Amino acid sequence: MGAASDDAVKQLALLMDQVEAPLRRTFQNVHQGYPKETLLRFLKAREWNVSKAHKMLVDSLNWRIQNEIDTVLERPIVPVDLYRSIRDSQLVGLSGYTKEGLPVFAVGVGQSTYDKASVHYYVQSHIQINEYRDRVILPMLTEKFGRPVTTCVKVLDMTGLKLSALSQMKMLTSISTVDDLNYPEKTETYYVVNVPYIFSACWKERTKKKVKVLHGCGRDELLKIMDYSSLPHFCRREGSGSSKHSSTDVDDCYSLDHPFHKELYGHIEEQASCKELIKMGSLHVSIPEPDPDDTKIVEVIQAEFQKIGEQNGSTNGHKV
């Protein structure tokens, strides 16, 4: 880190020392004992502009307080059958770790339907995964490796994405906005797999640095950074294409029966049991307004698929 960025961190740290006590408390939940790394993330997200990074961080902390994010891991989605249906329609899971120790999250962009529950449940579920990653998984890895582990990688599976399903992008955009404004720079790299062969990948420069579009299911490229056991189930075969579920639910990192989701749901139930009253119903989290400074991966993907549809003369409902 250069002198200029060092100075920016010091300036932002001084500003954060002056915020009110409630903001300082929730900031501790965010940085988990590593404030410098958190300040760096917000500075990177705002191109090292200290005042913009300060506003972004304070806005994020206020959002956490207003939406009770610090207690979101005490709010199980019940009954469990509802949560299972969410897992079947919001395809995301932890498949393993890279050789450098970063968590590998798989996201089924093409086959997530978001049609089994209200938007509030899907946003709540997504935030719970984020918070579990940041407050349980990453601190555990930090202790294991003796160095701060504060980011992850994501493998985005485009299998099955249809032009008619682009309406789902509204849900993805909401989730992406939550991430951009409140969990910035948490993803080291996005690996996009099972994309149409004419996918041009003309990303904006800031996004392009973090996105790698791989051939087919991306297995060979991903094996350079992770072991076979950490590959998402849809990357464990030659060529492109994947099924929504693999042969066993244990291998399918999207499934509620996968160890990651069992541990996550068990953790939330345990946290809830420590409270006198389990809060029922979904958590209505406000979705922040998108910031023009942010380039969302999902918006680039949407533009790509719309362009492909126009080039093919495809009609809604046909796979691209």
Side-chain angles (χ1 to χ4, degrees):
M1 193 168 69
S5 50
D6 242 342
D7 189 50
V9 170
K10 290 176 183 176
Q11 290 180 48
L12 184 54
L14 286 173
L15 290 172
M16 292 308 298
D17 286 341
Q18 300 170 26
V19 301
E20 296 176 355
L23 295 182
R24 287 201 299 273
R25 282 195 294 271
T26 195
F27 185 47
Q28 289 176 351
N29 258 338
V30 174
H31 67 62
Q32 290 292 310
Y34 293 90
K36 180 179 177 180
E37 283 71 19
T38 299
L39 298 177
L40 277 170
R41 288 195 295 103
F42 280 84
L43 283 164
K44 286 179 183 177
R46 288 296 173 260
E47 308 293 343
W48 301 98
N49 184 306
V50 175
S51 62
K52 286 185 177 182
H54 177 247
K55 181 182 185 304
M56 183 186 189
L57 181 49
V58 168
D59 286 348
S60 176
L61 297 177
N62 278 316
W63 173 83
R64 293 181 67 87
I65 291 171
Q66 292 160 10
N67 293 280
E68 302 179 17
I69 303 301
D70 286 342
T71 59
V72 72
L73 292 178
E74 301 166 9
R75 298 279 299 263
I77 295 175
V78 291
V80 70
D81 285 346
L82 171 61
Y83 190 65
R84 184 176 292 277
S85 67
I86 289 172
R87 293 277 58 84
D88 286 341
S89 53
Q90 182 185 37
L91 304 181
V92 60
L94 176 70
S95 65
Y97 302 88
T98 68
K99 294 175 182 178
E100 294 182 346
L102 301 184
V104 178
F105 283 90
V107 184
V109 176
Q111 294 181 329
S112 292
T113 57
Y114 300 102
D115 59 351
K116 304 297 184 185
S118 71
V119 60
H120 303 292
Y121 278 119
Y122 286 115
V123 172
Q124 178 179 345
S125 168
H126 177 78
I127 291 173
Q128 285 177 332
I129 291 174
N130 279 357
E131 292 292 310
Y132 187 74
R133 174 196 66 195
D134 294 350
R135 289 154 62 180
V136 177
I137 294 175
L138 293 178
M140 176 189 68
L141 293 171
T142 294
E143 184 176 353
K144 176 181 177 181
F145 293 108
R147 57 177 170 79
V149 180
T150 59
T151 59
C152 66
V153 301
K154 291 184 179 178
V155 183
L156 309 183
D157 180 19
M158 298 296 137
T159 299
L161 189 61
K162 304 175 183 179
L163 289 176
S164 61
L166 286 177
S167 59
Q168 297 164 12
M169 289 295 177
K170 184 177 180 181
M171 172 71 75
L172 289 173
T173 299
S174 296
I175 288 173
S176 180
T177 300
V178 167
D179 283 355
D180 287 336
L181 296 180
N182 301 290
Y183 304 92
E185 303 294 324
K186 293 298 293 190
T187 302
E188 197 76 23
T189 310
Y190 294 87
Y191 295 95
V192 187
V193 303
N194 295 323
V195 298
Y197 72 97
I198 54 173
F199 200 77
S200 67
C202 293
W203 314 89
K204 290 183 180 179
E205 194 56 38
R206 182 177 160 201
T207 310
K208 193 171 185 178
K209 295 175 183 176
K210 299 183 68 172
V211 177
K212 296 187 185 298
V213 180
L214 306 183
H215 175 71
C217 69
R219 188 183 71 169
D220 292 343
E221 286 296 312
L222 291 173
L223 283 175
K224 295 176 182 178
I225 65 163
M226 68 185 74
D227 294 331
Y228 183 86
S229 61
S230 289
L231 286 176
H233 58 277
F234 52 81
C235 295
R236 295 184 181 185
R237 54 181 64 84
E238 293 284 359
S240 62
S242 69
S243 59
K244 183 173 180 179
H245 297 285
S246 62
S247 56
T248 66
D249 284 340
V250 176
D251 289 334
D252 179 0
C253 64
Y254 299 149
S255 170
L256 182 55
D257 296 312
H258 186 273
F260 166 69
H261 283 297
K262 281 188 171 182
E263 290 166 11
L264 167 60
Y265 198 74
H267 176 84
I268 295 173
E269 285 191 312
E270 181 181 352
Q271 295 298 307
S273 69
C274 297
K275 305 300 176 181
E276 292 183 3
L277 177 67
I278 296 178
K279 295 180 180 180
M280 305 294 284
S282 62
L283 183 68
H284 286 230
V285 176
S286 61
I287 307 299
E289 284 296 315
D291 192 297
D293 287 342
D294 293 306
T295 303
K296 298 176 184 60
I297 303 297
V298 67
E299 290 179 354
V300 180
I301 292 171
Q302 182 177 17
E304 284 289 322
F305 275 87
Q306 286 176 330
K307 183 167 59 180
I308 291 168
E310 292 167 2
Q311 290 174 349
N312 287 349
S314 302
T315 58
N316 283 356
H318 290 109
K319 292 183 180 179
V320 291

